[in-house]
Amino acid sequence: MKGIINEDDVHRVLTACGFSDELTDYLVKEQTLSPFELIDIISRAPITLDEKSALFSSLGNKRNLKFEAFASVEENIKQGKSFKSIKHDIRALADFREEKSFWTVLYDRSQDIQAAREGLYSTAGDVYDNKPLVLFAEWYDVDEIQLKSSSCGVFVSPDAIERYIENEEYDNDSDEGYYRMEAWDAYDTKWENPRYDYYYYRGKICWFEKLIPEKQEHGNTYFMSGDREFADGSLDLSFKTPYKSGDIVIIDCRPFGPPFHAMILEARNQWDCCFPNIVFRYPGTSEWSLTPLKHKRLYKDIGWHTYEPMISPLYRLRRVKKEELTEEDDCLLELSEMLSGSEERAAKVWERWHSASGEGLVWEQVLEVVNSIRDD
């Protein structure tokens, strides 16, 4: 893809998807992102479906089929392939039938958005298809440390939902909390067809999940997750970052949880999804955690141990500015000072942290770990 998807394209995509300037500049300069990762970044970004479609379209317009056909013919002639094989390969290029190239994945994701639209609107365009729409307000409750959901009722159209959300969020400046909308087909009484859940952020649909009906042995049908390319799972984006051991960074996964500060512990081997790992205090608790950043085990949950937000912390990851530091960050700064950027010390912290109990340390226990490293 080199020479087709260039640095300007990468910069434009990352900026549009909300990446910090420092992470954007680093990824563009280091050229560590693959074109396929760009597709994933767009798919799961906190931007509207219209914005995602526009980015997919702009990347798709970079394709030069004439050049690809010429290159394919040239290569096949060099390999002594038959005229029939040459025609087959050219047709495959034009019809998006080659095996999972960047262009086929890009095309498939664009079609996924179109299918999600048709799951809500009619194929004639933005005409509502008379589906019952059930809306839920959802948020992570810091006081009760769990994800909450509250039914808002059944709505007659997407426009009515947008008006409702606009009214509800009029004075909400926290940017936390989102809305999930279930679209049901009133004519699919036997629940035989797939349906979609849609996720609203700032009043617009930004994510969706395709659900597949699966009939159970006892006779009931459950709608099971079938496609989370636009919603993600517990492990989302995974690529190298510029942050070093001891850096204090912001973790901002809004609207799926409140932002907070964390310290980068080990930053080596960043080709591994387990690095960098971070130290932080679970929001709303006195418990401290040491966990891989990309695994997203960022919030405590009373039922499932941790709650993983639906958006990767990499989108808004950046160093915390001095003026943004508060008294609550003193603990992180103390850890950072002790590490002095040493990966060797960071590795010892990881080992002794897990020897102490592994999960949910209070600050006094964290200090014991820190002091044991100081004494070495």
Side-chain angles (χ1 to χ4, degrees), residues 295-326:
H295 289 184
K296 303 195 302 183
R297 295 191 285 264
L298 303 172
Y299 301 95
K300 194 74 175 174
D301 185 272
I302 59 173
W304 298 95
H305 184 63
T306 56
Y307 152 64
E308 290 85 29
M310 208 171 71
I311 185 176
S312 168
L314 290 172
Y315 281 100
R316 302 177 180 125
L317 187 67
R318 62 172 175 82
R319 291 183 183 89
V320 174
K321 300 174 184 177
K322 286 185 178 180
E323 59 268 26
E324 295 174 319
L325 294 170
T326 68

Side-chain angles (χ1 to χ4, degrees), residues 224-368:
M224 312 298 287
S225 180
D227 183 353
R228 293 189 62 85
E229 298 295 352
F230 288 85
D232 99 275
S234 61
L235 177 61
D236 196 356
L237 306 181
S238 180
F239 47 76
K240 192 175 180 181
T241 73
Y243 305 107
K244 306 300 182 184
S245 179
D247 282 348
I248 310 297
V249 297
I250 188 166
I251 306 297
D252 187 351
C253 295
R254 289 177 292 180
F256 302 105
F260 59 90
H261 295 168
M263 187 202 72
I264 301 292
L265 184 64
E266 295 175 287
R268 57 191 173 85
N269 297 339
Q270 288 205 38
W271 43 265
D272 190 325
C273 66
C274 292
F275 294 93
N277 49 42
I278 56 174
V279 172
F280 64 97
R281 182 174 58 82
Y282 286 120
T285 79
S286 60
E287 294 185 28
W288 287 75
S289 177
L290 195 174
T291 186
L293 170 73
K294 300 166 189 174
H295 289 184
K296 303 195 302 183
R297 295 191 285 264
L298 303 172
Y299 301 95
K300 194 74 175 174
D301 185 272
I302 59 173
W304 298 95
H305 184 63
T306 56
Y307 152 64
E308 290 85 29
M310 208 171 71
I311 185 176
S312 168
L314 290 172
Y315 281 100
R316 302 177 180 125
L317 187 67
R318 62 172 175 82
R319 291 183 183 89
V320 174
K321 300 174 184 177
K322 286 185 178 180
E323 59 268 26
E324 295 174 319
L325 294 170
T326 68
E327 290 184 4
E328 293 183 357
D329 296 315
D330 288 346
C331 297
L332 295 177
L333 291 170
E334 186 174 349
L335 291 175
S336 177
E337 182 181 352
M338 182 276 296
L339 289 175
S340 298
S342 169
E343 286 288 344
E344 291 74 16
R345 285 190 173 188
K348 288 181 180 180
V349 169
W350 188 94
E351 181 180 350
R352 296 180 190 183
W353 183 296
H354 289 282
S355 296
S357 76
E359 294 292 343
L361 303 188
V362 296
W363 177 243
E364 289 73 19
Q365 292 173 299
V366 176
L367 275 180
E368 289 180 10

Side-chain angles (χ1 to χ4, degrees), residues 64-339:
N64 187 333
L65 271 175
K66 289 182 178 180
F67 175 79
E68 289 184 48
F70 173 81
S72 174
V73 171
E74 182 181 39
E75 182 61 28
N76 284 342
I77 290 176
K78 288 180 180 178
Q79 296 180 17
K81 289 188 177 181
S82 67
F83 182 64
K84 183 178 181 180
S85 295
I86 292 174
K87 287 199 301 181
H88 173 272
D89 289 350
I90 294 175
R91 187 176 292 111
L93 285 171
D95 292 345
F96 292 98
R97 293 175 186 170
E98 72 270 32
E99 183 181 352
K100 287 300 175 186
S101 72
F102 168 76
W103 304 112
T104 59
V105 175
L106 187 66
Y107 176 78
D108 288 344
R109 294 287 175 90
S110 298
Q111 292 300 107
D112 288 341
I113 290 180
Q114 182 61 29
R117 292 187 191 282
E118 293 174 1
L120 181 58
Y121 296 96
S122 75
T123 55
D126 290 343
V127 179
Y128 179 54
D129 205 18
N130 198 32
K131 288 182 169 66
L133 305 178
V134 187
L135 189 67
F136 299 85
E138 299 188 339
W139 69 100
Y140 175 76
D141 192 315
V142 176
D143 296 323
E144 298 189 18
I145 55 175
Q146 63 177 322
L147 184 65
K148 293 285 193 69
S149 181
S150 176
S151 175
C152 303
V154 180
F155 289 77
V156 297
S157 73
D159 289 340
I161 285 180
E162 290 191 7
R163 288 194 297 271
Y164 175 87
I165 293 175
E166 182 179 359
N167 293 335
E168 287 291 303
E169 298 299 310
Y170 177 75
D171 58 352
N172 179 10
D173 58 1
S174 71
D175 215 20
E176 297 174 27
Y178 60 97
Y179 292 83
R180 179 176 61 86
M181 184 259 287
E182 299 178 356
W184 293 83
D185 187 346
Y187 300 101
D188 183 24
T189 57
K190 295 183 179 180
W191 291 5
E192 296 175 331
N193 300 321
R195 69 169 188 83
Y196 289 87
D197 278 4
Y198 302 86
Y199 296 83
Y200 286 81
Y201 176 42
R202 296 175 178 172
K204 300 294 182 181
I205 297 175
C206 292
W207 303 276
F208 61 85
E209 178 181 6
K210 186 176 183 179
L211 300 167
I212 308 298
E214 293 184 9
K215 195 164 187 177
Q216 308 300 305
E217 291 183 2
H218 53 56
N220 287 344
T221 296
Y222 296 165
F223 279 91
M224 312 298 287
S225 180
D227 183 353
R228 293 189 62 85
E229 298 295 352
F230 288 85
D232 99 275
S234 61
L235 177 61
D236 196 356
L237 306 181
S238 180
F239 47 76
K240 192 175 180 181
T241 73
Y243 305 107
K244 306 300 182 184
S245 179
D247 282 348
I248 310 297
V249 297
I250 188 166
I251 306 297
D252 187 351
C253 295
R254 289 177 292 180
F256 302 105
F260 59 90
H261 295 168
M263 187 202 72
I264 301 292
L265 184 64
E266 295 175 287
R268 57 191 173 85
N269 297 339
Q270 288 205 38
W271 43 265
D272 190 325
C273 66
C274 292
F275 294 93
N277 49 42
I278 56 174
V279 172
F280 64 97
R281 182 174 58 82
Y282 286 120
T285 79
S286 60
E287 294 185 28
W288 287 75
S289 177
L290 195 174
T291 186
L293 170 73
K294 300 166 189 174
H295 289 184
K296 303 195 302 183
R297 295 191 285 264
L298 303 172
Y299 301 95
K300 194 74 175 174
D301 185 272
I302 59 173
W304 298 95
H305 184 63
T306 56
Y307 152 64
E308 290 85 29
M310 208 171 71
I311 185 176
S312 168
L314 290 172
Y315 281 100
R316 302 177 180 125
L317 187 67
R318 62 172 175 82
R319 291 183 183 89
V320 174
K321 300 174 184 177
K322 286 185 178 180
E323 59 268 26
E324 295 174 319
L325 294 170
T326 68
E327 290 184 4
E328 293 183 357
D329 296 315
D330 288 346
C331 297
L332 295 177
L333 291 170
E334 186 174 349
L335 291 175
S336 177
E337 182 181 352
M338 182 276 296
L339 289 175

